[in-house]
């Protein structure tokens, strides 16, 4: 039997009836058409399905949609503003931190969340923040450099939010 839930995704309210066994990944992709959230392993090991749930990065494949009822969620589709890439997205492009792109949405959301909590992370803190996101293409160094570049830019501008 389906349950009616409300999700606030990328500042838009969605009311949807979902089966209790549907994951947040499945609902985002299959019910709402938000295809930026990738399904990789389906068991929480790869991070391709990372979204920001109530301000924290989570593996959406491990969250039942009914558990997210009433929650605020940010997917990769909600990161850019008015067709302008978010600074983290732009840094990924500028630093060659994108190869095949499959891990990129989750990686960007993990980095964005880190910078919102800690605008000036150390390299170790960056590596820890993205450690739940597997990338088979880049070797991580360019991703770390991209996050460091955003942090430097934020420091110069005196910004505390990413």
């Amino acid at each position: 039997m389906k349950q009616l839930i409300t999700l606030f995704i990328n500042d838009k309210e969605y009311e949807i009836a979902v089966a209790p066994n549907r994951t947040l990944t499945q609902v985002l992709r299959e019910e709402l058409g938000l295809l930026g959230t990738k399904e990789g392993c389906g068991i929480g090991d790869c991070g391709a399905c990372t979204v920001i749930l109530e301000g924290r990065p989570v593996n959406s494949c491990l969250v039942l949609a009914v558990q997210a009822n009433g929650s605020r969620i940010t997917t990769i589709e909600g990161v850019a503003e008015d067709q302008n890439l978010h600074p983290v997205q732009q840094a990924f492009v500028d630093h060659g931190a994108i190869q095949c792109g499959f891990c990129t949405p989750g990686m960007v959301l993990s980095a964005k969340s880190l910078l919102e909590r800690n605008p000036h992370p150390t390299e170790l803190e960056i590596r820890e923040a993205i450690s739940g996101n597997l990338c088979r293409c880049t070797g991580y160094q360019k991703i770390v450099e991209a996050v460091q570049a955003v942090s430097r830019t934020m420091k110069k501008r005196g910004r505390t939010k990413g």
Side-chain angles (χ1 to χ4, degrees):
M1 180 191 232
K2 291 189 174 186
Q3 180 178 340
L4 190 62
I5 63 170
T6 302
L7 302 171
F8 300 92
I9 304 169
N10 304 326
D11 297 323
K12 184 176 176 187
E13 183 176 339
Y14 295 86
E15 192 171 273
I16 185 167
V18 298
N21 65 338
R22 301 284 286 168
T23 66
L24 185 55
T25 304
Q26 291 169 324
V27 169
L28 291 170
R29 291 183 57 80
E30 298 166 19
E31 305 293 329
L32 301 177
L34 297 170
L35 302 178
T37 302
K38 306 298 184 206
E39 181 157 7
C41 68
I43 58 172
D45 285 342
C46 73
C49 66
T50 300
V51 298
I52 299 175
L53 175 69
E54 292 297 331
R56 303 301 273 186
V58 299
N59 292 325
S60 62
C61 71
L62 298 179
V63 177
L64 293 174
V66 295
Q67 291 174 302
N69 186 24
S71 296
R72 298 208 171 278
I73 300 164
T74 302
T75 68
I76 196 67
E77 290 89 352
V79 174
E81 296 178 14
D82 299 324
Q83 303 300 317
N84 295 315
L85 293 178
H86 183 277
V88 173
Q89 291 172 305
Q90 188 62 57
F92 270 56
V93 171
D94 294 345
H95 291 269
I98 299 171
Q99 300 253 331
C100 82
F102 194 80
C103 74
T104 304
M107 198 72 77
V108 166
L109 289 166
S110 290
K112 178 182 181 300
S113 180
L114 167 67
L115 291 168
E116 287 175 351
R117 291 187 320 274
N118 178 2
H120 311 296
T122 65
E123 180 176 342
L124 179 60
E125 289 169 327
I126 294 168
R127 289 185 181 278
E128 286 175 359
I130 64 171
S131 66
N133 299 84
L134 297 182
C135 176
R136 296 182 186 268
C137 300
T138 67
Y140 301 95
Q141 187 57 38
K142 292 182 181 287
I143 295 167
V144 170
E145 290 170 2
V147 177
Q148 288 173 322
V150 176
S151 177
R152 283 191 302 273
T153 301
M154 292 169 66
K155 194 174 220 176
K156 286 179 188 173
R157 293 182 182 164
R159 292 177 57 187
T160 58
K161 293 280 180 183

